Amino acid sequence: MAISRKPSRKKPLRRPRRASAAENGHRSARLFARAQKILVGGVNSPVRAFRAVGGAPLVIDRARGSRLWDVDGREYIDYVCSWGALILGHADPKVVSAVANQARRGTSYGMTSPLEIDLGERIACAIPSIERIRFVSSGTEAAMSAIRAARGFTGRDFILKFEGGYHGHADSFLVEAGSGLATLGISASPGVPAALAQLTLNAPYNDVAAVEKIFARHAGKIAAVIVEPVAANMGVVPPAPGFLDSLRRITSRDGALLIFDEVITGFRLAYGGAQGIFSVRPDLTVLGKIIGGGLPVAAYGGRREIMESIAPLGPVYQAGTLSGNPLAMRAGLTTLPRLEAPRFYDALGAKSLRLSEGLRKALRDTGIPGEVNATGSLLTLFFSSGPVRDFAGAKKADTARFAAFFREMLRRGIFLPPSQFEALFISAAHTEDDIDRTVSAARQSLEYIAPKE
Ligand SMILES: *Cc1c(COP(=O)(O)O)cnc(C)c1O
């Protein structure tokens, strides 16, 4: 199929429909009913089921640029962007043709190819703390492997994470985690042995004193602190000034490793990731999402002597059948150079600013309490009446109001992440016109859900 490069951006969005239930979303409803009889909950990842927001989950037919179309032909401006993976938007023509060309040369070799070397070098060049890297296929796998390497290298068992932080679904991380667990109100997951969960310590995000206290109690026993340098899985919560520096200081003093989980922030906030912006050098970095250009790629990397404890150089075992597969490497290699273009991140940031300011004004004008937290092209509108600095603050947000807002936005053709505890992702494919439509839909939605006196 030929790919037209002409964007159809000026086409008007379909107006909110008031059609009968049978007509509106008929195919989606039928397909989702079928999905529920074969896929657990009708989905392959929990947040897709819309449990926190209600209404019928989307069943997607196709996507392009900033837009998604469901199987009923309804068009949406997409702020999920495959949970942040698609910084260039959907079906970017260059990424699509790179993947198609590669497919003809083989989809997986099970041996090293030059593509893995190229992508590894490119990432190490952007993020200098990464001296050695290992590619894997999901962020979960990368974060799990990073703490295994940290435990193997230090000979210590404890890890410290932050409440509301999400590092994938490996056993050690499913304690007070963000993302889907926050959405569904799960604080500890059955299936994780208590003996293992006890080795996961939790501190409130942005709370240096709590971290100091935990290190005092477990001196010399903590293998690593793992942190999202800008938290984005409890909704967006930026680090307080000095927070990341303090983590660096405390871990270095104790001989623990500092792991930045940059699965979202890597190549999202800046080409060098959050660590470039905040000038803090972690021992290990976890990457995912953007580096795969929409295909399943993740990676972990960092200081050479730590990474050399991994097989085949060292005894810490980690492997993967499809790791570094050439299709995914091509998608990443086509995506990353585009992000290096001058002012790429400025343009993204400007759109994000336009959206966050538009949303703040709409909140003010409608008198609905809310806070917009934004960093770069990450943004969350919390329906809360005070600033949100940690998970406890995020959880004070009015999730029922968020759900109502989400549904009104969806009806107006705007697809937000279906949870109060997720970030909106803005891509290079979003236009100012998309943003303006979104702000005006938000204003209408807020007016619609405002308490009527
Ligand atoms: C998405 C995410 C992960 C997990 O990545 P998957 O590819 O979904 O397994 C880990 N850490 C952070 C910060 C994430 O946002």
Side-chain angles (χ1 to χ4, degrees):
M1 199 180 80
I3 293 153
S4 152
R5 284 177 193 239
K6 216 157 137 229
S8 57
R9 279 170 183 151
K10 284 290 165 191
K11 262 202 299 193
L13 280 181
R14 197 168 283 219
R15 288 166 59 79
R17 295 191 16 164
R18 300 261 184 199
S20 71
E23 184 200 342
N24 198 353
H26 188 66
R27 284 201 72 203
S28 300
R30 227 169 0 134
L31 279 164
F32 200 74
R34 232 177 95 202
Q36 283 172 295
K37 292 194 180 138
I38 182 65
L39 309 173
V40 178
V43 294
N44 280 307
S45 198
V47 187
R48 299 177 194 175
F50 282 23
R51 284 293 165 95
V53 290
L58 296 189
V59 181
I60 300 303
D61 176 47
R62 67 201 160 87
R64 188 180 159 74
S66 62
R67 303 301 166 92
L68 280 175
W69 287 268
D70 70 11
V71 291
D72 290 289
R74 290 173 297 195
E75 182 178 337
Y76 303 93
I77 301 178
D78 179 20
Y79 289 96
V80 176
C81 289
S82 199
W83 304 95
L86 299 168
I87 196 166
L88 298 176
H90 292 278
D92 175 81
K94 290 199 174 81
V95 175
V96 170
S97 73
V99 170
N101 290 337
Q102 177 57 41
R104 283 186 280 273
R105 300 169 58 91
T107 55
S108 187
Y109 302 141
M111 282 289 149
T112 297
S113 80
L115 305 173
E116 293 152 75
I117 308 169
D118 287 347
L119 189 59
E121 286 174 351
R122 182 170 272 285
I123 290 171
C125 197
I127 304 175
S129 70
I130 298 180
E131 297 167 358
R132 292 289 185 276
I133 193 164
R134 170 68 58 85
F135 287 108
V136 293
S137 300
S138 72
T140 292
E141 214 186 335
M144 175 187 80
S145 308
I147 58 158
R148 184 181 301 145
R151 284 169 161 161
F153 180 76
T154 59
R156 301 171 173 192
D157 286 342
F158 284 97
I159 61 162
L160 172 58
K161 63 176 274 298
F162 293 91
E163 291 161 11
Y166 183 68
H167 310 290
H169 63 84
D171 287 352
S172 290
F173 299 124
L174 297 186
V175 187
E176 297 295 333
S179 190
L181 291 93
T183 305
L184 298 172
I186 300 171
S187 69
S189 175
V192 177
L196 185 62
Q198 278 162 15
L199 299 175
T200 301
L201 309 167
N202 266 284
Y205 194 75
N206 278 330
D207 188 342
V208 176
V211 174
E212 290 277 20
K213 239 167 99 181
I214 289 169
F215 266 90
R217 273 189 49 199
H218 300 274
K221 298 211 169 98
I222 298 171
V225 172
I226 184 164
V227 63
E228 293 175 68
V230 172
N233 282 292
M234 53 178 117
V236 176
V237 178
F243 175 61
L244 300 172
D245 294 287
S246 299
L247 297 183
R248 178 68 284 177
R249 180 176 46 77
I250 296 165
T251 47
S252 297
R253 191 184 62 205
D254 185 80
L257 304 183
L258 179 60
I259 305 174
F260 274 7
D261 182 344
E262 296 227 39
V263 170
I264 283 181
T265 54
F267 297 95
R268 160 71 54 188
L269 299 185
Y271 196 69
Q275 57 194 273
I277 294 178
F278 296 104
S279 301
V280 174
R281 191 180 172 103
D283 301 293
L284 293 174
T285 298
V286 183
L287 294 168
K289 297 190 171 123
I290 288 174
I291 64 164
L295 273 79
V297 184
Y300 65 109
R303 269 166 57 198
R304 181 177 147 179
E305 64 270 32
I306 303 167
M307 293 303 289
E308 288 187 345
S309 66
I310 297 157
L313 296 181
V316 177
Y317 197 71
Q318 185 269 310
T321 301
L322 294 175
S323 293
N325 91 83
L327 272 189
M329 295 292 109
R330 282 275 186 211
L333 278 168
T334 309
T335 299
L336 296 193
R338 302 267 294 281
L339 315 183
E340 259 190 312
R343 290 189 299 284
F344 177 87
Y345 291 97
D346 295 342
L348 214 51
K351 282 184 266 187
S352 179
L353 191 66
R354 193 179 181 92
L355 181 54
S356 53
E357 286 181 344
L359 292 175
R360 283 190 192 110
K361 185 158 191 308
L363 285 166
R364 275 198 308 274
D365 294 350
T366 52
I368 292 184
E371 289 283 326
V372 179
N373 279 11
T375 302
S377 53
L378 298 170
L379 182 160
T380 298
L381 191 177
F382 288 103
F383 285 99
S384 61
S385 41
V388 178
R389 297 194 186 93
D390 56 18
F391 194 34
K395 284 198 290 193
K396 284 192 198 133
D398 184 342
T399 51
R401 184 167 275 169
F402 175 83
F405 178 68
F406 169 88
R407 291 193 300 267
E408 286 308 311
M409 291 295 273
L410 194 67
R411 217 160 58 78
R412 291 172 174 80
I414 312 292
F415 180 43
L416 305 176
S419 164
Q420 173 71 98
F421 306 110
E422 302 279 358
L424 274 76
F425 296 98
I426 294 157
S427 80
H430 287 83
T431 61
E432 278 194 4
D433 183 53
D434 288 339
I435 304 288
D436 293 346
R437 285 167 190 239
T438 305
V439 170
S440 87
R443 176 175 295 274
Q444 290 169 23
S445 299
L446 289 171
E447 277 163 7
Y448 190 87
I449 65 170
K452 314 269 182 310
E453 298 297 323

